[in-house]
Amino acid sequence: MATIAPSRRVRRTPFSAGVEAAGVKGYTVYNRMLLPTVFESITADYRHLKDHVQVWDVAVERQVEVRGPDAARLMQMLTPRDLRGMLPGQCYYVPMVDETGGMLNDPVAVKLAEDRYWISIADSDLLLWVKAVALGFRLDVLVDEPDVSPLAVQGPKADDLMARVFGEEIRHVRFFRFGWFDFQGRSLAIARSGYSKQGGFEIYVDGTDIGMPLWDALFAAGEDLGVRAGCPNLIERIEGGLLSYGNDMTRDNTPHEAGLGKFCNTHTAVGCIGRDALLRVAKEGPVQQIRPIAIGGDIPPCDRVWPLMAGGKRVGQVTSAARSPDFGVNVAIGMVRMTHWDAGTVLEVETPDGMRPATVQDKFWI
Amino acid sequence: MATIAPSRRVRRTPFSAGVEAAGVKGYTVYNRMLLPTVFESITADYRHLKDHVQVWDVAVERQVEVRGPDAARLMQMLTPRDLRGMLPGQCYYVPMVDETGGMLNDPVAVKLAEDRYWISIADSDLLLWVKAVALGFRLDVLVDEPDVSPLAVQGPKADDLMARVFGEEIRHVRFFRFGWFDFQGRSLAIARSGYSKQGGFEIYVDGTDIGMPLWDALFAAGEDLGVRAGCPNLIERIEGGLLSYGNDMTRDNTPHEAGLGKFCNTHTAVGCIGRDALLRVAKEGPVQQIRPIAIGGDIPPCDRVWPLMAGGKRVGQVTSAARSPDFGVNVAIGMVRMTHWDAGTVLEVETPDGMRPATVQDKFWI
């Protein structure tokens, strides 16, 4: 693969100096910002993530801040998940949809106060959608991108490392909750969350100026824990069934197709822009859906849609795939039509290197 | 610089196979799609572009299609440029702004019919903004991204090459006009436009399936013209003063700051969402503005904002810079405060490699 060209448009992050010093070997671009993809090797990074603790520059999870008297109303317009029970201090995974029920993003919403939210976004300029919705519906709300950059601490030793920097209290933060913790005199929201299944936290670093001081503090405190710079790991996230917006689902898909029906309360989410469209889907069910897929043989990196075939007919597609050392198989995420989505169904997948056997699994590798 | 990781999310284009076969050495990501940045070397590509003819994969210029009875009204809501005189067959460079006059994109609008436009976008998900505006203001219009991918033919021999593939009639297409031309039985819009000052065309390739056939036809027809695969060239576009959204201006800037006041008819662009905010700017003038800057000494690649300093005070920033072989100087684009924007003003620019002398120019290098 070719190298990535330097330009201001592909934004650096508050942690880029640390990432470079740690010897980053690969990047992707996510929300027009650099996201590391590999340090030692994807396999070595994977092993280390499952055994130790890593610090991840996930500043690409940009925040859309929604603030003002109509903040709660606007948030409910964006998602079919019922937000009425959401309390300050909670994080919700919220599929966001357009008026046809097509997914625009799958962010985590962070409720800071009754009238203030951060939407921690996946890879699309959701800010433009939210701003225009606020404008078009004349809502009394401010929408902007603040200087807030998430830094994740992930892996089985994440609690130990975080306790050394933020105090023992951090251990009591529950899953998808956040608390306020002090660093160099600044109060930071820290949530128990992250894009891995190995446990850990996301620190919402409020201000570019404290990015590198916090990075350095975590590495200084974690030396004997074997802390390393890491990043979302392709193999581990596929094993864990963590979807990637733009890879595994796009604007073409409903949340139900993405297997996110459990995050949709279509009947009670009154005000959601896509509600009418999704009421029908919720009733009939989707005709295709995300499934874990095991692929045999050798496979190249998955950089495009790989058609899933049955008897010469296309019945779906694979969009993420990688060799799993722990499970001894190629783990993959695909979208499969209902005629062929039952666990155990044997299909063929068309990779650029040729056809490979593919089997629908009943669950992800967790 | 590190390599770019393969994933479906960073989309390939209909021309990727051709780009790879031509030996692309560097990419950037633009509108979540691969954009080549270098083939032989940036300097060699520059020389060739100025002397011969190149075929550019600019599929990243995604189209936002706007169609229906309210299409013209919606288009005028998006931009402060007065579109009343725009005819089918014309292309307009249209700054697009939010309700504060902040730039959201600087696309080329292509008027296909009275009720149908393509917006050929720079690097932001303008689709989400346009969709939400249409929704919020209840406009009777369809907004979507069609399977249309621009392929540019640029350089002094572009007319000759294009005439061989599309016929002599192509020579009569005027600047920022387009006509309909046939390729393998399909009618394609071809405009005299492109992101260089060397002349040429942009072909709106309607359908992924004819991407590689057209690519191959252009190379077959142009062998004796020395046709090569190319891409927007960093040096040439800075020399020519072609701005890059996300580099030289962002949502923080008004069109007037970007030097695009001549494309704003703020008094007559009735209906434009940002009109109220821009009326004030149009009256008072901006306090900072884009300027060509010549930088002395050796400079690194510009991958972040470089502050422009005068007497220890920050008076602006450089956001694009490169060594120009033809002009024997580092050509650059910066935003300078009015106190220091007069041509001939000598400043200092803070690069990661140290301070360099910088002089405000009266015009770009054309």
Side-chain angles (χ1 to χ4, degrees):
Chain A
M1 199 69 186
T3 58
I4 185 166
S7 91
R8 175 210 180 185
R9 185 178 48 74
V10 177
R11 300 177 282 179
R12 294 166 60 79
T13 86
F15 319 110
S16 288
V19 162
E20 289 161 0
V24 62
K25 287 184 186 154
Y27 281 112
T28 186
V29 177
Y30 195 101
N31 283 324
R32 309 171 203 289
M33 194 173 244
L34 290 168
L35 173 64
T37 57
V38 59
F39 284 87
E40 189 181 340
S41 72
I42 292 183
T43 312
D45 293 353
Y46 161 91
R47 185 79 280 135
H48 182 268
L49 168 63
K50 288 191 166 187
D51 293 341
H52 301 285
V53 58
Q54 297 183 345
V55 177
W56 293 3
D57 173 0
V58 284
V60 298
E61 296 170 5
R62 305 311 300 160
Q63 307 306 304
V64 176
E65 178 163 316
V66 174
R67 189 156 50 102
D70 286 336
R73 181 179 164 210
L74 174 54
M75 291 297 293
Q76 189 63 80
M77 290 176 76
L78 301 174
T79 180
R81 183 162 178 182
D82 189 336
L83 302 182
R84 284 176 302 173
M86 188 179 188
L87 302 169
Q90 287 188 319
C91 308
Y92 271 26
Y93 181 54
V94 280
M96 299 222 155
V97 299
D98 67 15
E99 73 283 6
T100 72
M103 286 188 70
L104 299 180
N105 206 290
D106 68 328
V108 171
V110 179
K111 185 166 181 173
L112 301 165
E114 286 300 337
D115 61 352
R116 186 170 174 229
Y117 297 78
W118 283 337
I119 309 172
S120 192
I121 62 173
D123 189 34
S124 77
D125 293 338
L126 194 71
L127 178 68
L128 296 183
W129 174 260
V130 181
K131 272 174 63 80
V133 168
L135 179 75
F137 290 92
R138 300 175 178 276
L139 302 183
D140 192 7
V141 72
L142 289 170
V143 180
D144 212 340
E145 180 180 310
D147 178 22
V148 171
S149 298
L151 186 66
V153 176
Q154 300 283 299
K157 300 177 187 166
D159 277 62
D160 293 341
L161 174 55
M162 289 291 282
R164 294 183 187 181
V165 175
F166 293 100
E168 289 296 318
E169 196 56 36
I170 199 92
R171 298 184 191 272
H172 304 125
V173 174
R174 286 186 287 155
F175 187 64
F176 263 54
R177 301 287 177 121
F178 70 89
W180 294 96
F181 294 85
D182 208 66
F183 180 77
Q184 297 191 348
R186 204 166 306 175
S187 189
L188 304 179
I190 302 182
R192 190 179 289 275
S193 59
Y195 196 61
S196 88
K197 289 286 188 181
Q198 307 310 312
F201 300 87
E202 288 178 304
I203 309 165
Y204 290 83
V205 179
D206 198 344
T208 292
D209 59 313
I210 57 164
M212 281 310 299
L214 176 57
W215 176 279
D216 290 337
L218 287 163
F219 280 87
E223 208 170 334
D224 62 301
L225 297 174
V227 64
R228 282 196 205 169
C231 49
N233 184 275
L234 179 68
I235 310 168
E236 198 270 349
R237 75 114 179 139
I238 298 174
E239 286 178 358
L242 295 171
L243 306 183
S244 167
Y245 183 76
N247 279 312
D248 305 315
M249 70 285 199
T250 70
R251 204 163 53 81
D252 286 338
N253 304 116
T254 62
H256 300 78
E257 288 179 342
L260 304 177
K262 60 181 173 291
F263 299 107
C264 299
N265 315 97
T266 317
H267 283 85
T268 62
V270 177
C272 167
I273 282 171
R275 186 168 174 253
D276 292 350
L278 289 180
L279 276 172
R280 182 147 304 278
V281 178
K283 191 174 159 204
E284 318 252 335
V287 299
Q288 58 177 355
Q289 200 169 50
I290 288 281
R291 284 289 183 273
I293 310 275
I295 302 177
D298 284 336
I299 56 167
C302 185
D303 66 352
R304 64 198 82 178
V305 163
W306 292 350
L308 275 168
M309 310 294 290
K313 236 183 57 184
R314 182 167 173 159
V315 297
Q317 59 186 36
V318 162
T319 47
S320 298
R323 184 78 191 171
S324 162
D326 283 0
F327 295 93
V329 67
N330 299 306
V331 294
I333 299 176
M335 184 81 74
V336 190
R337 291 188 72 78
M338 65 188 306
T339 49
H340 293 76
W341 73 25
D342 290 342
T345 305
V346 179
L347 306 168
E348 279 196 304
V349 61
E350 192 182 329
T351 81
D353 291 356
M355 302 300 281
R356 299 286 183 274
T359 309
V360 179
Q361 307 294 297
D362 72 332
K363 56 182 180 54
F364 283 96
W365 294 264
I366 34 177
Chain B
M1 201 67 186
T3 58
I4 185 165
S7 92
R8 176 210 180 186
R9 184 177 49 73
V10 177
R11 300 176 281 179
R12 293 167 60 81
T13 86
F15 319 110
S16 289
V19 163
E20 288 161 1
V24 62
K25 286 185 185 151
Y27 282 113
T28 187
V29 177
Y30 196 100
N31 284 324
R32 309 172 202 290
M33 193 173 244
L34 289 169
L35 174 64
T37 56
V38 58
F39 284 87
E40 189 181 342
S41 72
I42 292 184
T43 312
D45 292 353
Y46 161 92
R47 185 79 279 138
H48 182 267
L49 168 63
K50 287 191 167 188
D51 293 341
H52 301 286
V53 57
Q54 296 182 346
V55 177
W56 294 3
D57 173 0
V58 285
V60 299
E61 296 170 4
R62 305 311 300 159
Q63 307 306 305
V64 177
E65 177 162 319
V66 175
R67 189 155 50 102
D70 286 335
R73 181 178 163 210
L74 174 54
M75 291 298 292
Q76 189 63 79
M77 290 177 76
L78 302 174
T79 180
R81 182 161 180 183
D82 189 336
L83 300 182
R84 283 177 302 173
M86 188 180 188
L87 302 170
Q90 287 189 319
C91 307
Y92 271 27
Y93 180 54
V94 281
M96 299 224 155
V97 299
D98 67 15
E99 72 284 6
T100 72
M103 287 188 69
L104 299 180
N105 207 290
D106 68 327
V108 171
V110 179
K111 185 165 181 174
L112 300 165
E114 286 301 336
D115 61 352
R116 186 170 174 230
Y117 297 78
W118 283 336
I119 309 172
S120 192
I121 62 172
D123 188 34
S124 78
D125 292 339
L126 194 71
L127 178 69
L128 296 183
W129 174 260
V130 180
K131 272 174 62 80
V133 168
L135 179 76
F137 291 91
R138 301 174 177 278
L139 302 183
D140 191 7
V141 71
L142 290 171
V143 180
D144 213 340
E145 179 180 312
D147 178 22
V148 172
S149 298
L151 186 67
V153 177
Q154 300 283 299
K157 300 178 187 166
D159 276 62
D160 292 342
L161 175 54
M162 289 292 281
R164 294 183 187 181
V165 176
F166 293 100
E168 290 296 318
E169 196 56 36
I170 199 92
R171 297 185 191 271
H172 303 126
V173 174
R174 286 186 288 156
F175 186 64
F176 263 54
R177 301 287 176 119
F178 69 89
W180 295 96
F181 294 85
D182 208 65
F183 180 77
Q184 296 190 350
R186 203 166 307 175
S187 190
L188 304 179
I190 302 182
R192 190 178 290 275
S193 59
Y195 196 61
S196 88
K197 289 286 187 181
Q198 307 310 313
F201 300 87
E202 288 177 303
I203 309 164
Y204 291 83
V205 180
D206 199 344
T208 293
D209 59 312
I210 57 163
M212 281 310 299
L214 177 55
W215 176 279
D216 290 337
L218 287 163
F219 279 87
E223 208 170 334
D224 63 301
L225 296 174
V227 63
R228 281 196 206 170
C231 50
N233 183 275
L234 180 68
I235 310 168
E236 198 271 347
R237 76 114 179 138
I238 297 174
E239 286 178 358
L242 295 170
L243 305 183
S244 166
Y245 183 75
N247 279 312
D248 305 316
M249 69 286 199
T250 69
R251 204 164 51 82
D252 286 338
N253 304 115
T254 62
H256 301 78
E257 288 179 343
L260 304 177
K262 60 180 173 289
F263 299 107
C264 298
N265 315 97
T266 317
H267 283 86
T268 62
V270 178
C272 167
I273 282 171
R275 185 167 173 254
D276 292 349
L278 289 180
L279 276 171
R280 182 147 303 277
V281 178
K283 191 176 160 200
E284 318 251 335
V287 300
Q288 59 177 356
Q289 200 168 51
I290 287 281
R291 285 288 182 273
I293 312 274
I295 303 177
D298 284 336
I299 55 167
C302 185
D303 66 352
R304 66 198 80 179
V305 164
W306 292 350
L308 276 168
M309 310 294 289
K313 237 183 56 184
R314 183 167 172 159
V315 297
Q317 59 185 35
V318 162
T319 46
S320 297
R323 183 79 192 170
S324 162
D326 283 0
F327 295 93
V329 67
N330 299 308
V331 294
I333 299 176
M335 184 81 75
V336 190
R337 292 188 72 78
M338 67 188 304
T339 49
H340 292 77
W341 72 25
D342 290 342
T345 306
V346 178
L347 306 169
E348 279 196 304
V349 60
E350 191 181 331
T351 81
D353 291 356
M355 302 300 282
R356 298 287 183 274
T359 309
V360 179
Q361 307 293 298
D362 71 332
K363 56 184 180 54
F364 283 96
W365 294 264
I366 34 177

